[in-house]
Amino acid sequence: MSIFGYDFMMRALVGALIIGVAAPSVGVFLVQKRMALIGDGIGHVALTGVAVGFLMGTSPVWTAVVVTIIGAVAIELIRERGKASGDIALALLFYGGIAGGVVLIGMSAGKSNANLMSYLFGSLVTTSPEDLRTIALLGALVTVLMVVLRPWLFAVSQDEEYAKVSGVPVRALNMLLAVTTAVTVTVAMRAVGLLLISALLVVPVATMQQFARGFTVTMFGAMGLGVLAAGSGVVVAGVGDLPPGAMIVLMALGLFVLVAVVTGVVKLVRRGLRRKRPRPAGPSVPEPLDCTLDKAA
């Protein structure tokens, strides 16, 4: 019997494919803004949201969504107002998020480490129908927003000052990108976990940047690679009884290495062909005639 004859494996595959599309659609703008590590920072804040859900006895996914959105907006305001540099702002997000999560989880009664580990490293095979509906709704919303607003988000990611002068609502778009990043991290925590989510945001984009020309090609190509990594990761994990979240990340990294090797070989071959190619012969120049001076009589 195929592994996808089980309902939980089908839910895992569908959820992974949705996240494989949504995460790179957001990550391409984060890479352009040189904020690739913000996924890790928001992931730490999401830990606090999960702990709030445990403490209140409600769904950790929705409490994590609320807490990460608040954290993402706060970090964007800190960055925008220049109160701290980008790396310091991310450090605040890292430390505050994980410290708050640990304290709140310690306060929640009856929650084992196994529950927490499923959010830290992902637990696709335990995805419930309700979880899948949440992933589908939020993932589709994020993807549609990123695709529709692509030209304006690209302008803001490239040069905020020029975009502002051109009349683009820079602040609103930055806030939107922060919120969609928070939502993507929260949704993806069921697939790859809070500690690995940055890989799915960044690695497919970095893979496409090795050979793609143009932002649009990079964006949609990264989304395709995200789907490929997510789908193949779930299949390999199902066949080998391995953790799906980690396998998805390893597949994405494997694609990066494969593309790096292939592009490197292609460059070497092209360089070698250029060296061997004979140079076109120029117009022939007659050799100067030897001449002698007659001796004066």
Side-chain angles (χ1 to χ4, degrees):
M1 183 178 179
S2 170
I3 57 172
F4 296 108
Y6 301 101
D7 290 340
F8 69 90
M9 283 303 300
M10 282 302 301
R11 289 195 296 269
L13 178 62
V14 173
L17 294 177
I18 293 171
I19 295 165
V21 173
S25 71
V26 178
V28 67
F29 298 106
L30 299 178
V31 171
Q32 289 292 321
K33 290 172 70 70
R34 292 178 174 82
M35 296 178 64
L37 291 179
I38 194 173
D40 277 332
I42 294 178
H44 285 69
V45 173
L47 180 61
T48 299
V50 170
V52 170
F54 284 167
L55 192 62
M56 297 175 61
T58 59
S59 171
V61 175
W62 288 108
T63 54
V65 168
V66 174
V67 172
T68 51
I69 287 176
I70 294 172
V73 170
I75 211 67
E76 178 60 30
L77 289 174
I78 293 173
R79 187 191 68 83
E80 180 187 273
R81 297 176 184 274
K83 299 297 183 182
S85 61
D87 57 343
I88 294 178
L90 282 176
L92 295 174
L93 206 64
F94 268 63
Y95 305 140
I98 197 166
V102 170
V103 169
L104 291 176
I105 287 172
M107 294 170 59
S108 60
K111 299 298 179 183
S112 65
N113 289 334
N115 290 324
L116 180 59
M117 292 289 284
S118 68
Y119 290 96
L120 290 177
F121 298 101
S123 183
L124 262 179
V125 293
T126 62
T127 302
S128 66
E130 181 182 353
D131 290 335
L132 185 59
R133 285 192 290 270
T134 302
I135 291 172
L137 174 63
L138 296 179
L141 179 63
V142 167
T143 305
V144 169
L145 283 174
M146 295 298 99
V147 172
V148 172
L149 299 177
R150 181 180 71 256
W152 296 277
L153 287 170
F154 175 73
V156 172
S157 301
Q158 288 295 105
D159 191 335
E160 288 191 8
E161 293 301 322
Y162 179 77
K164 190 178 296 183
V165 171
S166 302
V168 178
V170 173
R171 184 175 187 182
L173 289 172
N174 278 331
M175 287 295 178
L176 177 65
L177 185 59
V179 170
T180 51
T181 303
V183 172
T184 303
V185 168
T186 307
V187 170
M189 70 182 179
R190 295 295 292 168
V192 297
L194 296 174
L195 298 183
L196 299 174
I197 177 55
S198 277
L200 209 52
L201 286 167
V202 174
V203 175
V205 179
T207 303
M208 281 300 300
Q209 284 183 333
Q210 295 183 86
F211 65 92
R213 294 183 179 181
F215 179 80
T216 301
V217 175
T218 300
M219 180 179 184
F220 287 102
M223 293 164 67
L225 289 178
V227 170
L228 180 60
S232 59
V234 172
V235 171
V236 173
V239 173
D241 194 20
L242 300 168
M247 280 308 306
I248 290 173
V249 173
L250 288 177
M251 285 296 177
L253 291 171
L255 288 172
F256 176 86
V257 173
L258 176 63
V259 170
V261 171
V262 171
T263 53
V265 171
V266 170
K267 288 179 181 178
L268 288 175
V269 171
R270 286 179 177 174
R271 192 176 304 168
L273 291 176
R274 288 196 192 102
R275 290 177 179 175
K276 293 180 179 180
R277 187 179 302 166
R279 296 182 180 179
S284 59
V285 179
E287 295 182 0
L289 298 175
D290 293 334
C291 59
T292 59
L293 295 177
D294 292 337
K295 293 182 180 179

